[in-house]
Amino acid sequence: MSSWQQYVDDHLMCEIEGQYLTSAAIIGHDGSVWAQSANFPQYKPEEITAIKKDFDEPGSLAPTGLYLGATKYMVIQGESGAVIRGKKGPGGITVKKTNMAFIVGIYDEPMTPGQCNMIVERLGDYLIDQGY
């Protein structure tokens, strides 16, 4: 198996229709970083705990918003127990849950939410298929 960093570099920080994510990471369910892009925000363990809880209890983040590294995202439609999506101004975040990790992609215009979702969810689905 190649390193987790390679997944971030080659499958998350990759070009899609001329656009790129601003940052991305693969974070274990326990909050540990498996791999991340250079500029991924420094986050608090409780932010990952809150994300994990929303996957277990969908809707729990909606009232407070999703926080990651001191940035607050408004939670928008996701897929219950599988994907959480957030929006902040012209950008946003997509978090896909796999068996063992969270795949996180953060974007800004001109990238679209759909492009971010595609990149994050494609890798997430692949890792789920691989047992991760």
Side-chain angles (χ1 to χ4, degrees):
M1 186 196 84
S2 61
S3 78
W4 292 109
Q5 191 61 49
Q6 217 171 340
Y7 281 112
V8 170
D9 298 343
D10 300 347
H11 299 281
L12 292 174
M13 299 304 291
C14 57
E15 184 257 345
I16 180 169
E17 295 163 356
Q19 306 304 326
Y20 294 86
L21 291 173
T22 49
S23 63
I26 301 173
I27 300 169
H29 288 180
D30 63 355
S32 62
V33 176
W34 291 12
Q36 62 182 17
S37 63
N39 54 350
F40 193 77
Q42 182 67 50
Y43 60 85
K44 302 186 183 87
E46 56 265 31
E47 293 171 337
I48 302 302
T49 305
I51 289 170
K52 186 175 170 37
K53 181 181 177 195
D54 192 82
F55 280 114
D56 297 334
E57 302 167 32
S60 67
L61 279 179
T64 57
L66 184 166
Y67 285 86
L68 192 74
T71 300
K72 179 183 179 178
Y73 297 91
M74 186 178 74
V75 178
I76 53 175
Q77 91 298 334
E79 288 164 44
S80 224
V83 182
I84 299 170
R85 300 188 181 104
K87 191 100 180 79
K88 181 184 169 53
I93 187 168
T94 300
V95 184
K96 166 86 174 175
K97 182 184 183 191
T98 71
N99 305 328
M100 297 162 73
F102 302 114
I103 315 298
V104 184
I106 297 173
Y107 70 93
D108 226 324
E109 280 184 337
M111 180 177 258
T112 66
Q115 290 168 329
C116 177
N117 294 339
M118 194 180 297
I119 286 180
V120 171
E121 294 174 36
R122 189 172 56 194
L123 179 61
D125 289 338
Y126 171 77
L127 292 178
I128 289 168
D129 289 344
Q130 299 300 307
Y132 294 106

